[in-house]
């Protein structure tokens, strides 16, 4: 009997540490990372659909069901999550955010034939292969959301660092593929917002200290009452849709359902909103069915990487 008990213990799946053993900070970091993956998996089903098409097919889209134009398995994530994971691994390997390491990690990620890849990401990674130069040339056209969707590992690794160092790290990762002022502003804003929520700030304060100054610096980010539907891959439209949903709702679930049902680049708005909402509300507010519904290997990778990046920051 002793023997069989030992066998069971040895062959049982390795369980990650229960939430009780995580610090409150690590717990929020995990929620942000799992939130990113959940938003990606939820939104991918309706990516590039219009709200009207979504209503006709799903009523309201609320379940992680796969499908979509990428014909995903239920729970499968896309480039938004997998590029973040590739970046996070490069940061952990170096012990800090490094442009060259990030570029090599993204290049290796592209060689792995990802399920989706943005045009700007592909073009500038192909250029990196030729030149070895990890900073893409500045371009006013490269204002897609491809750098903003993968900022989370930088936010976690730089938590508690001076703002200047954090902003430099943000540009180092972003400029591998997107060297653009609007993208930079979006990336920094998202990073500081995540860090504020990890530090326990409330949404009103974060809006006043991060979002209003963004709009003052770059008025193009301003939004009005009219719902931003069908947000394109343009980082300004992405953030407008995310901010409208994020500041008009009061739970992780309501925020994500609101944003993905706007359609358009829904996996990316879902991923960014999921990251912010995870950091804001914590793991306990994420619906169980979504935690179970997202691909398990991906979820565990996100959890472990979030814990490691937070450990690196302190
Ligand atoms: Mn994607
Ligand atoms: Mn997308």
């Amino acid at each position: 009997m002793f023997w069989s008990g030992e066998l069971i213990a040895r062959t049982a799946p390795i369980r990650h540490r229960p939430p009780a053993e995580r610090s409150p900070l690590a717990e929020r970091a995990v929620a942000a990372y799992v939130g990113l993956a959940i938003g990606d998996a939820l939104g991918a089903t309706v990516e590039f659909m219009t709200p009207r098409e979504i209503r006709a097919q799903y009523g309201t889209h609320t379940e992680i069901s796969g499908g979509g134009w990428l014909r995903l398995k239920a729970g499968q994530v896309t480039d938004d999550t997998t590029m973040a994971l590739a970046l996070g691994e490069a940061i952990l390997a170096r012990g800090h955010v490094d442009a060259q390491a990030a570029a090599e990690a993204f290049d290796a990620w592209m060689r792995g034939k990802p399920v989706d890849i943005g045009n700007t990401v592909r073009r500038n990674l192909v250029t990196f292969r030729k030149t070895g130069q990890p900073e893409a040339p500045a371009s006013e056209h490269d204002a897609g959301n491809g750098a903003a969707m993968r900022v989370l590992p930088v936010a976690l690794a730089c938590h508690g660092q001076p703002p200047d160092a954090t902003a430099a790290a943000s540009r180092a990762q972003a400029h591998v593929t997107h060297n653009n002022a609007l993208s930079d502003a979006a990336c920094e804003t998202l990073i500081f917002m995540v860090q504020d929520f990890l530090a326990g700030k409330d949404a009103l304060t974060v809006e006043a200290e991060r979002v209003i100054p963004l709009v003052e610096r770059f008025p193009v980010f301003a939004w009005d009452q009219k719902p931003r539907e069908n947000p394109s891959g343009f980082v300004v439209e992405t953030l407008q849709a995310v901010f409208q949903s994020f500041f008009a709702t009061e739970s992780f679930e309501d925020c994500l359902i609101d944003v993905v049902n706007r359609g358009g680049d829904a996996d990316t708005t879902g991923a960014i909103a999921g990251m912010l909402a995870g950091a804001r509300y914590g793991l306990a507010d994420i619906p169980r069915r979504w935690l179970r519904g997202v691909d398990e290997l991906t979820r565990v990778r996100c959890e472990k990487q979030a814990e490691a990046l937070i450990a690196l920051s302190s």
Side-chain angles (χ1 to χ4, degrees):
M1 286 305 104
F2 170 75
W3 183 84
S4 69
E6 188 181 55
L7 184 72
I8 288 165
R10 282 188 183 182
T11 55
I14 299 162
R15 298 194 62 86
H16 33 284
R17 282 176 297 154
E21 291 178 34
R22 289 188 191 122
S23 69
L25 175 62
E27 175 100 359
R28 291 271 163 161
V30 166
Y33 224 133
V34 173
L36 177 86
I38 285 174
D40 184 3
L42 180 72
T45 302
V46 294
E47 189 184 21
F48 302 136
M49 292 173 73
T50 66
R52 179 194 294 262
E53 288 166 345
I54 295 169
R55 273 195 299 276
Q57 193 164 338
Y58 298 98
T60 304
H61 175 57
T62 63
E63 302 307 315
I64 296 177
S65 54
W69 74 282
L70 293 170
R71 300 173 188 275
L72 299 170
K73 291 183 290 231
Q76 193 176 352
V77 296
T78 74
D79 56 349
D80 310 74
T81 306
T82 56
M83 283 200 93
L85 286 167
L87 173 62
E89 277 167 17
I91 294 170
L92 290 169
R94 286 292 171 107
H96 61 271
V97 180
D98 178 82
Q100 188 74 31
E104 286 168 8
F106 295 149
D107 188 21
W109 167 85
M110 185 164 72
R111 285 182 199 281
K113 302 211 186 307
V115 62
D116 60 340
I117 181 167
N119 291 331
T120 306
V121 168
R122 184 198 304 275
R123 170 165 43 80
N124 282 320
L125 288 179
V126 167
T127 302
F128 167 71
R129 278 185 194 171
K130 291 181 190 145
T131 64
Q133 164 59 252
E135 183 174 46
S139 166
E140 63 174 308
H141 302 294
D142 291 352
N145 56 25
M149 72 189 187
R150 59 177 197 239
V151 297
L152 181 56
V154 176
L156 302 184
C158 294
H159 185 67
Q161 283 187 23
D164 286 0
T166 301
S170 176
R171 287 191 297 274
Q173 90 77 15
H175 288 190
V176 174
T177 56
H178 294 67
N179 189 349
N180 175 279
L182 291 175
S183 169
D184 284 354
C187 289
E188 277 174 37
T189 300
L190 291 171
I191 286 170
F192 289 134
M193 288 176 76
V194 168
Q195 293 179 340
D196 286 350
F197 286 119
L198 293 183
K201 291 195 183 179
D202 63 86
L204 267 181
T205 305
V206 174
E207 184 174 21
E209 293 181 355
R210 303 300 184 189
V211 180
I212 304 298
L214 169 71
V215 172
E216 283 170 355
R217 256 175 77 212
F218 295 96
V220 67
F221 282 99
W223 67 89
D224 52 29
Q225 296 302 313
K226 192 169 171 290
R228 165 61 76 188
E229 296 187 328
N230 302 308
S232 69
F234 178 34
V235 71
V236 169
E237 294 190 13
T238 304
L239 260 57
Q240 287 172 333
V242 167
F243 290 158
Q244 278 187 339
S245 294
F246 182 74
F247 290 112
T249 52
E250 286 176 4
S251 74
F252 183 92
E253 183 174 18
D254 288 351
C255 175
L256 260 63
I257 289 175
D258 187 276
V259 84
V260 300
N261 281 278
R262 292 161 184 262
D265 197 359
D267 61 330
T268 304
T269 58
I272 294 173
M275 167 184 79
L276 292 175
R280 175 179 174 184
Y281 299 111
L283 212 44
D285 196 50
I286 300 181
R288 300 290 113 179
R289 71 181 196 283
W290 286 352
L291 284 171
R292 283 194 301 265
V294 73
D295 176 70
E296 188 180 3
L297 279 178
T298 303
R299 177 177 55 75
V300 172
R301 269 183 85 192
C302 291
E303 290 173 357
K304 289 190 184 312
Q305 196 181 95
E307 290 177 333
L309 288 165
I310 279 297
L312 182 70
S313 78
S314 49

